[in-house]
Amino acid sequence: MSQETYELKAEARERVGKGSARELRRNGLIPAVIYGDKQAPIAIALNTNEVTKRIHAGGFMTTVATIEVDGKKFKVLPKDYQLDPVRDFTMHVDFLRVSGNTQVTVEIPVHFINEEKSQGLKVGGVLNIVRHQVEVHCPADAIPEFFNVDLSGKKIGDSIHISEVTLPKGVTTVIDRDFTIATIIAPAAGIDESAAEGEAEA
């Protein structure tokens, strides 16, 4: 499961549009929208520092949050956010309303473990990562924080496919085939023969 949930306080926005958005940003607020679940969208304003802190903490797009608007609470999942290309501050955030049975599509980071147990890496091979993230369908209240990919015993020329990753119950990949996550390739300078011989003797 992803990071623990958190709560943000928001103000309802009466006015929308570019002029209103600029005024909000001058006052340290970010314009945002809560939509989905077959209900009308709600325009809100959030504290810039609070949201930016959450984005930089990691897991922002895969963590369900609670937003309180004028005393009413909404469970939401961030679906998109825009950063200013020059000054790198948050310009706008879209939140999707979620409930216990809401299915969402999210990108889950891939972590590689047991690199020291990979024969291919020991002899100088290089881990070529094809996918740093895997896009999945899953329940909004059961989003995995990351997927572990075990490199134990992997040799040069081996490929690691999604079928080698244990997906939690209710989680399915968006791509409906056994795609490659990473490969172990020979280094440009060639294999370290002494290390390879040591491996063979071991």
Side-chain angles (χ1 to χ4, degrees):
M1 182 65 188
S2 194
Q3 298 182 1
E4 290 181 16
T5 186
Y6 58 90
E7 190 165 314
L8 296 169
K9 288 196 182 303
E11 303 170 11
R13 280 193 290 149
E14 299 300 322
R15 292 165 49 227
V16 293
K18 285 186 176 178
S20 169
R22 277 197 295 268
E23 187 180 335
L24 285 173
R25 294 185 194 108
R26 278 199 297 271
N27 294 326
L29 297 171
I30 295 171
V33 174
I34 299 174
Y35 70 97
D37 207 22
K38 297 177 183 172
Q39 298 178 48
I42 303 171
I44 59 172
L46 294 160
N47 180 282
T48 300
N49 291 338
E50 276 290 307
V51 175
T52 302
K53 189 168 69 177
R54 292 291 173 187
I55 290 172
H56 290 306
F60 182 65
M61 301 294 286
T62 56
T63 304
V64 173
T66 301
I67 295 181
E68 184 179 330
V69 186
D70 299 336
K72 190 174 181 183
K73 294 189 175 184
F74 300 90
K75 277 183 76 174
V76 299
L77 182 71
K79 287 304 289 178
D80 192 24
Y81 63 89
Q82 291 172 289
L83 295 178
D84 182 284
V86 178
R87 290 170 288 175
D88 195 36
F89 67 83
T90 313
M91 301 275 290
H92 187 273
V93 187
D94 290 337
F95 294 98
L96 176 71
R97 287 188 191 89
V98 298
S99 56
N101 57 2
T102 303
Q103 290 284 318
V104 295
T105 302
V106 288
E107 291 189 331
I108 307 299
V110 175
H111 291 182
F112 294 90
I113 60 172
N114 293 324
E115 291 188 26
E116 72 284 355
K117 295 181 181 176
S118 161
Q119 294 161 335
L121 295 181
K122 277 185 183 178
V123 300
V126 177
L127 180 64
N128 175 44
I129 301 172
V130 179
R131 294 179 186 274
H132 290 271
Q133 297 178 313
V134 173
E135 194 173 20
V136 300
H137 299 301
C138 63
D141 57 357
I143 299 171
E145 188 171 354
F146 55 83
F147 294 136
N148 273 334
V149 174
D150 192 350
L151 298 175
S152 298
K154 297 297 180 185
K155 302 184 287 295
I156 286 176
D158 283 353
S159 296
I160 300 104
H161 296 93
I162 188 63
S163 58
E164 296 178 54
V165 178
T166 303
L167 300 179
K169 186 180 177 184
V171 176
T172 58
T173 56
V174 170
I175 299 173
D176 189 23
R177 58 182 167 78
D178 193 14
F179 55 86
T180 302
I181 294 175
T183 57
I184 295 180
I185 58 175
I191 297 170
D192 182 345
E193 294 293 344
S194 59
E197 285 168 15
E199 278 295 303
E201 288 167 11

